[in-house]
Amino acid sequence: MAATKRVINFSPGPAKLPEDVLHKAQAEMIDYGGTGVSVMELSHRSSHFVKIIGSAEKNFRDLLHIPDNYRVIFTQGGGTGQFAAAPLNLMKLKEGATADYIITGSWSMKAAKEAEKYGTVNKVLPKLDKYTVIPDQAEWNLNPDASYVFYCANETIHGVEFHHVPDTHGVPIVCDMSSNILTRPIDISKFGVIFAGAQKNIGCAGTTVVIIRDDLIGHAIPECPSIFDYKTMVGNNSIYNTPPTYSIYIMGLVFEWVLHHGGVEIMEQRSHDKAKSLYNIINLSNGFYSCPIDPDCRSRMNVPFRVGSPDGDEALETKFIDEAASKGLMSLKGHRSVGGIRVSLYNAISVSDVHILTEFMRNFYLEQKGVILAQG
């Protein structure tokens, strides 16, 4: 049988997994730990799976130094499910059922729209024509009586990332970290709730990890479905119903991989190096490549850019994507709502992967510059 050819997958999600994780999962696919069955066939209440989920939680806690007064649950519904779960559990923390939403892109906008079903949403930022900047906090309109403040730490579509934790003056913070969790150390104590869909940085699609501070558990409205009720899920150790067992298993392998490769601190350094390499070639291309995002909030995870001009040359961008694919550089097309090119640099993407991409970008630029000169 011919060896399988691997490409470099820059997909925004479901995203590349570490090859070490894939090889281990492959080796254990048919027979997990001498059980004679696959992890996909294990009872979620068996001692083997209880060990899998327990180990995953322990390693996750160790990686992020999660304090003892925070619970960790593994749930379903993706990050989008948590757009509903957060207000269902927290909107009634105070009288009035209001929440602040810091909207910096499509995902925080969708979260705000979902929350409007359960209470009053205050949109903190001035209306933005384009999601290319995070306005200074002096321009924000925070409500001191809000039950919580929501923000998305990294917007995968628009490429906007918070490089600081907003000061909410004591109001609990709910944060969607689906696309940048485990890429830098976090002071968990600054947050009330953190959630992350697995399919970008920490596993395959199917499960979402949620970190919740103890005092925020037990406030769900009566209409909250049981599987979204934080108290129910915490009280049943994430096994109130059949959980996404295989996805949790893969997530656990990714946590082991991060630990083995030096932890979150090393992931942060790698993220810095990858993003710097890519932004450098964009910045040095004399406008051939252009990123519209303000430098102060450019994402380390998802880098959108245009080719040929600030508004993009569609024919040139198609040529860029096709030529990149021919060299094994995949999933570079920008989101349909913004167009252009998008490169996702999650933890499983190596520094050398990015160097291969930037070398292609350099050659593509020189090739097109030569064409323009010849035509001139």
Side-chain angles (χ1 to χ4, degrees):
M1 182 181 292
T4 301
K5 179 183 178 182
R6 294 284 292 172
V7 300
I8 303 177
N9 180 15
F10 292 100
S11 171
K16 179 181 179 180
L17 285 163
E19 288 195 26
D20 291 349
V21 168
L22 293 175
H23 286 307
K24 185 168 185 180
Q26 180 185 45
E28 297 180 333
M29 173 60 75
I30 302 298
D31 179 4
Y32 174 74
T35 61
V37 299
S38 170
V39 172
M40 288 184 282
E41 302 170 298
L42 282 175
S43 166
H44 59 294
R45 301 193 186 279
S46 68
S47 60
H48 294 285
F49 183 72
V50 169
K51 184 176 180 180
I52 287 171
I53 196 170
S55 176
E57 178 178 344
K58 180 185 182 303
N59 287 336
F60 186 59
R61 283 183 171 277
D62 288 347
L63 282 166
L64 290 179
H65 308 291
I66 298 174
D68 291 340
N69 63 322
Y70 285 77
R71 304 303 112 202
V72 173
I73 59 172
F74 302 96
T75 186
Q76 300 174 65
T80 305
Q82 292 303 306
F83 294 169
L88 284 166
N89 281 272
L90 305 177
M91 193 70 89
K92 291 293 184 70
L93 281 172
K94 293 183 179 180
E95 292 296 326
T98 66
D100 283 353
Y101 276 71
I102 305 171
I103 299 173
T104 54
S106 293
W107 293 113
S108 47
M109 174 60 80
K110 288 181 179 180
K113 186 175 181 180
E114 185 69 25
E116 288 174 340
K117 298 177 181 179
Y118 311 108
T120 300
V121 167
N122 172 46
K123 296 176 181 178
V124 169
L125 298 183
K127 184 173 177 58
L128 303 174
D129 293 330
K130 295 181 179 180
Y131 297 124
T132 59
V133 65
I134 300 174
D136 187 270
Q137 190 158 340
E139 301 178 46
W140 297 10
N141 177 34
L142 290 167
N143 175 12
D145 295 319
S147 291
Y148 62 90
V149 178
F150 178 99
Y151 78 102
C152 179
N154 182 75
E155 292 279 0
T156 59
I157 293 174
H158 293 91
V160 173
E161 183 176 16
F162 278 81
H163 297 300
H164 67 285
V165 178
D167 181 3
T168 61
H169 310 294
V171 176
I173 296 175
V174 177
C175 187
D176 177 356
M177 289 192 187
S178 294
S179 52
N180 66 356
I181 198 163
L182 295 192
T183 67
R184 57 162 51 130
I186 307 166
D187 183 352
I188 300 293
S189 68
K190 292 184 177 181
F191 298 88
V193 177
I194 295 171
F195 64 85
Q199 69 276 11
K200 300 179 185 298
N201 253 315
I202 54 175
C204 62
T207 192
T208 304
V209 63
V210 184
I211 307 168
I212 322 135
R213 202 173 66 210
D214 282 343
D215 63 300
L216 301 180
I217 298 169
H219 303 281
I221 64 174
E223 296 82 3
C224 180
S226 297
I227 58 169
F228 281 165
D229 187 331
Y230 294 151
K231 183 177 180 180
T232 298
M233 295 302 290
V234 167
N236 288 273
N237 297 316
S238 303
I239 311 180
Y240 172 75
N241 62 325
T242 305
T245 53
Y246 197 74
S247 295
I248 293 171
Y249 159 74
I250 294 292
M251 186 185 284
L253 295 185
V254 173
F255 295 159
E256 291 176 3
W257 178 83
V258 175
L259 284 166
H260 178 72
H261 286 270
V264 175
E265 292 76 13
I266 296 300
M267 296 299 112
E268 179 181 36
Q269 183 59 55
R270 286 176 42 159
S271 293
H272 171 79
D273 293 345
K274 290 182 289 185
K276 182 179 179 181
S277 176
L278 184 52
Y279 283 119
N280 275 349
I281 196 163
I282 292 171
N283 294 338
L284 296 173
S285 69
N286 298 312
F288 182 77
Y289 300 118
S290 58
C291 176
I293 310 305
D294 185 280
D296 288 341
C297 60
R298 285 182 174 178
S299 172
R300 300 164 302 128
M301 297 291 103
N302 309 96
V303 181
F305 62 90
R306 305 308 300 252
V307 181
S309 74
D311 293 324
D313 179 320
E314 188 172 338
L316 205 54
E317 289 174 344
T318 298
K319 182 178 177 65
F320 179 97
I321 291 167
D322 290 345
E323 290 194 12
S326 72
K327 299 180 183 302
L329 304 170
M330 308 300 294
S331 303
L332 291 171
K333 187 175 182 179
H335 191 271
R336 61 187 179 276
S337 66
V338 297
I341 312 297
R342 175 174 50 166
V343 182
S344 296
L345 303 175
Y346 303 133
N347 282 344
I349 294 290
S350 69
V351 174
S352 62
D353 289 339
V354 179
H355 286 167
I356 292 170
L357 173 63
T358 55
E359 184 63 20
F360 165 76
M361 291 173 65
R362 182 178 292 105
N363 291 336
F364 187 83
Y365 162 68
L366 292 173
E367 172 193 318
Q368 296 308 312
K369 183 179 178 181
V371 170
I372 292 170
L373 289 174
Q375 291 174 340

